[in-house]
């Protein structure tokens, strides 16, 4: 469960938005909407642990009843998905995915997990492919797989569909939501397009009650 | 091409080369300082990026980057010499209190036989260059987001650099690295100042042979120069193989998944290096300043016993002609260089928009060829050719020879920025006013004013620093501040040498300052142009 308690981001002594409190249950996808510049992406950086120095965070962020704030980004086990797939171009698909897997696995276990994940995305036998040869939709799927293979405890999505064209959007949206629900982790999605938001809590960052 | 004996082919110069006394030591020193400097510079640059990127120390490095690059090699080497040598400032600082020295010790710190001090000076000069090139290349990679993704997957920031970002960076700076390699293996002016003396590095030895009144030595020089060329080619090949090996190793490591990293030691190293870099440069300049105003400075006093303006007075008088030559040549070659490079880049743009094929990679290699072939290896051949047409010794030939080296650096510095210019600006402007020329000089040029001025400043400092081309192409007829400074450095009066070195320093520095200040002034009311 991901809990935000009275979270505010301060810039130049001014908060960007009224205090935000939200509880997200496992398998639930909550959406944050708002106009440009209201602080949506900054909020995600704050939760994942990547807040720029000019900002400060007030309030608490708790994951499964432990505050994540004292932890550095690499220890928080919170995955993040951007608009750009950011697949590492100097590695194959399998290597990109393997990068996300924990250290303790044996080579055979690793290969199994990768194959299984690719199968579920409809990309079987894509292991040796070069990311540069994949289509936009395929890359988006691999990117999601990569984030999930790290077995995060929560997932943040920063306008993940905005660079996809209309037909692709629906496909990938469904894929992402189904997968997140199946993995049973809380997810927080940020978007400026209301069609991107699934059923569930939708919060307009700028217009909340204080 | 050299290797032709008096009138017929012969292997004799080669056998004489290999059996020349001190050849092996020369080779040793050349390889150690050349390859060592390159590998060390690369490792340090990667270390700096992986560990200190965007930290406070990074800001220090960023701000001092341009001035560090502006310091000409010769001036820096001279300053370093005055700093580190047995009678240098550092030892004066700690003597006699800590060391008990009353007279300078007989240590072989600088001008050591293995070329370590040469290597050190090369590293201190090459790291800022490599950092600058890397910064340009990194602009094409999404560093911020790659770091975010890597860290969200649990990897320590430094490991994300090592496994993800640096492997993508290396191919983009390969060319710069090879240029550094060629330079380090064949440098003459710095090696004369701070490299081993007997025997000197191969490049210096070849240079002496070329200048030997005994014409037979020219053949020896030719074979030596060819050897240096072969060394460079061989070293580049080794680097290629090394890269392949490391990539293979990396692939095996990368999928293992180890994410933890102890940052303390590398962090310390990195900070130490930045401090040393900036500190040494500052100290070197300061010691030059002190010496230039000195009348008498006994060891182990910390500061001169008596001061004098005499040497500045004498120096400034003597230095007028060389400085005028330097500035004249520098401005001309740099202007021409910038002009040609912009023409090239615009042409490339035009071809791209017309959908035609641009053979950019080939052009790239052609442009950088002068940087990759050691100067000493081909300049002699060029001079011989020019002399046959009676073209050497004329000022235009001198400018042309400088141009050969100015163009690649201007290209290196202006290329990435020019190419990442948002073409939509031009498109919009064209719809507004319809004249491509007006759009060019009222919109594009002003927007690119800062990078263009910066590229000009770099071209100018490259021209100022040219030693061998001035000597060869100018057929000894043109004295520049650099040739004078290097010639004086190997012996004489530290005071006058300091004056010369400082003059060599100030010339490009002034141009760099203007390059920084002019845009700031012209655009003082424009927030977005302050970038």
């Amino acid at each position: 469960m991901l809990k935000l308690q009275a979270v505010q981001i301060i810039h130049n002594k001014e908060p960007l938005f009224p205090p935000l409190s939200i509880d997200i249950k496992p398998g639930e996808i909550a959406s944050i909407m708002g106009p440009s510049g209201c602080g949506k992406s900054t909020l995600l950086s704050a939760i994942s642990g990547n807040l720029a120095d000019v900002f400060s965070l007030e309030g608490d962020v708790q994951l499964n009843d432990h505050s994540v704030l004292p932890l550095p980004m690499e220890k928080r086990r919170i995955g993040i998905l951007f608009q750009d797939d950011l697949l590492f171009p100097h590695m194959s698909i399998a290597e990109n995915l393997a990068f996300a897997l924990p250290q303790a696995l044996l080579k055979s276990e690793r290969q199994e997990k990768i194959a299984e994940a690719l199968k579920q995305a409809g990309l079987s036998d894509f292991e040796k492919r070069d990311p540069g040869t994949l289509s936009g939709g395929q890359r988006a799927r691999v990117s999601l797989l990569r984030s999930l293979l790290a077995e995060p405890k929560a997932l943040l999505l920063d306008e993940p569909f905005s660079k996809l064209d209309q037909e692709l959007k629906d496909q990938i949206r469904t894929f992402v939501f189904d997968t997140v629900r199946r993995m049973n982790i809380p997810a927080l999605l940020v978007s400026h397009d209301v069609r991107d938001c699934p059923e569930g809590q939708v919060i307009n960052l700028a217009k909340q009650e204080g | 091409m050299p290797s032709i004996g008096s009138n017929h082919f012969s292997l004799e110069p080669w056998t004489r080369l290999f059996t020349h006394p001190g050849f092996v030591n020369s080779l040793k020193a050349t390889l150690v300082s050349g390859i060592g400097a390159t590998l060390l510079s690369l490792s340090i640059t990667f270390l700096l990026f992986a560990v200190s990127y965007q930290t406070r120390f990074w800001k220090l490095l960023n701000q001092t980057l341009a001035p560090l690059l502006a310091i000409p090699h010769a001036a820096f080497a001279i300053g370093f010499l005055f700093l580190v040598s047995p009678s240098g400032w550092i030892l004066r600082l700690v003597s006699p209190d800590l060391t008990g020295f009353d007279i300078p010790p007989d240590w072989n710190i600088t001008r050591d036989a293995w070329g370590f001090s040469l290597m050190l000076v090369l590293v201190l000069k090459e790291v800022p260059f490599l950092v600058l090139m890397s910064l340009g290349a990194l602009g094409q990679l999404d560093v911020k987001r790659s770091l975010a993704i890597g860290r969200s997957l649990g990897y320590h920031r430094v490991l994300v650099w090592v496994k993800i970002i640096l492997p993508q960076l290396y191919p983009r700076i390969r060319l710069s690295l090879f240029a550094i390699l060629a330079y380090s293996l064949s440098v003459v002016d710095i090696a004369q100042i701070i490299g081993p003396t007997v025997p000197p590095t191969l490049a210096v030895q070849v240079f002496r042979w070329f200048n030997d009144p005994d014409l037979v030595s020219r053949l020896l020089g030719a074979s030596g120069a060819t050897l240096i060329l072969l060394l460079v080619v061989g070293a580049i090949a080794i680097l290629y193989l090394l890269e392949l090996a490391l990539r293979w190793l990396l692939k095996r490591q990368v999928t293992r998944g180890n994410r933890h990293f102890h940052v303390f030691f590398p962090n310390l190293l990195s900070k130490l290096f930045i401090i040393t870099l900036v500190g040494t440069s500052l100290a070197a300049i300061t010691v030059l300043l002190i010496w230039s105003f000195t009348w008498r400075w006994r060891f182990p006093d910390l500061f001169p016993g008596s001061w004098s303006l005499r040497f500045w007075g004498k120096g400034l008088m003597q230095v007028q002609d060389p400085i005028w030559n330097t500035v004249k040549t520098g401005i001309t070659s740099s202007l021409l260089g910038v002009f040609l490079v912009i023409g090239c880049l615009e042409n490339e743009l035009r071809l791209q928009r017309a959908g035609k094929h641009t053979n950019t990679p080939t052009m790239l290699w052609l442009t950088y060829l002068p940087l990759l072939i050691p100067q000493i290896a081909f300049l002699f051949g060029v001079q011989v050719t020019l002399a046959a047409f009676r073209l050497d010794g004329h000022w235009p030939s001198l400018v042309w020879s400088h141009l050969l080296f100015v163009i690649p650096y201007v290209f290196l510095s202006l290329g990435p920025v020019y190419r990442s210019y948002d073409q939509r600006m031009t498109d919009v402007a064209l719809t507004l006013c319809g004249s491509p020329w007006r759009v060019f000089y009222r919109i594009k040029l002003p927007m690119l004013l800062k990078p263009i001025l910066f590229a000009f400043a770099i071209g100018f400092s490259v021209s100022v620093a040219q030693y061998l081309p001035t000597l060869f192409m100018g057929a000894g007829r043109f004295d520049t501040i650099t040739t004078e400074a290097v010639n004086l450095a190997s012996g004489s009066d530290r005071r006058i040498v300091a004056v010369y070195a400082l003059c060599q320093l100030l010339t490009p520095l002034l141009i760099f300052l203007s390059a920084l200040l002019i845009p700031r002034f012209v655009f003082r009311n424009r927030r977005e142009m302050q970038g």
Side-chain angles (χ1 to χ4, degrees), chain B residues 347-409:
Chain B
N347 198 31
E348 181 189 59
L349 203 59
R350 199 159 303 162
L351 287 177
Q352 275 175 352
R353 300 201 106 181
K356 300 216 183 91
H357 174 61
T358 58
N359 46 357
T360 312
T362 338
M363 287 306 298
L364 216 63
W365 276 89
L366 270 181
T367 325
Y368 294 153
L369 213 54
L371 292 185
L372 296 175
I373 305 182
Q375 285 188 345
I376 191 117
F378 74 93
L379 281 178
F380 181 58
V382 178
Q383 184 191 18
V384 166
T385 322
L386 281 185
F389 291 105
R390 300 209 174 285
L391 279 175
D392 65 332
H394 293 290
W395 187 66
S397 317
L398 182 66
V399 173
W400 174 79
S401 67
H402 280 210
L403 203 60
L404 271 181
F405 302 100
V406 165
I407 289 187
Y409 281 103

Side-chain angles (χ1 to χ4, degrees), chain B residues 27-41:
Chain B
L27 190 63
K28 236 174 27 179
T30 307
L31 287 174
V32 162
S33 61
I35 301 187
T38 312
L39 288 177
L40 209 56
S41 303

Side-chain angles (χ1 to χ4, degrees), chain B residues 97-123:
Chain B
D97 317 307
L98 290 174
T99 55
F101 288 140
D102 265 344
I103 50 172
D106 199 15
W107 292 345
N108 217 3
I109 316 179
T110 51
R111 301 200 165 136
D112 60 293
W114 278 86
F116 281 129
S117 51
L118 175 60
M119 183 174 81
L120 218 61
V121 170
L122 284 173
V123 168

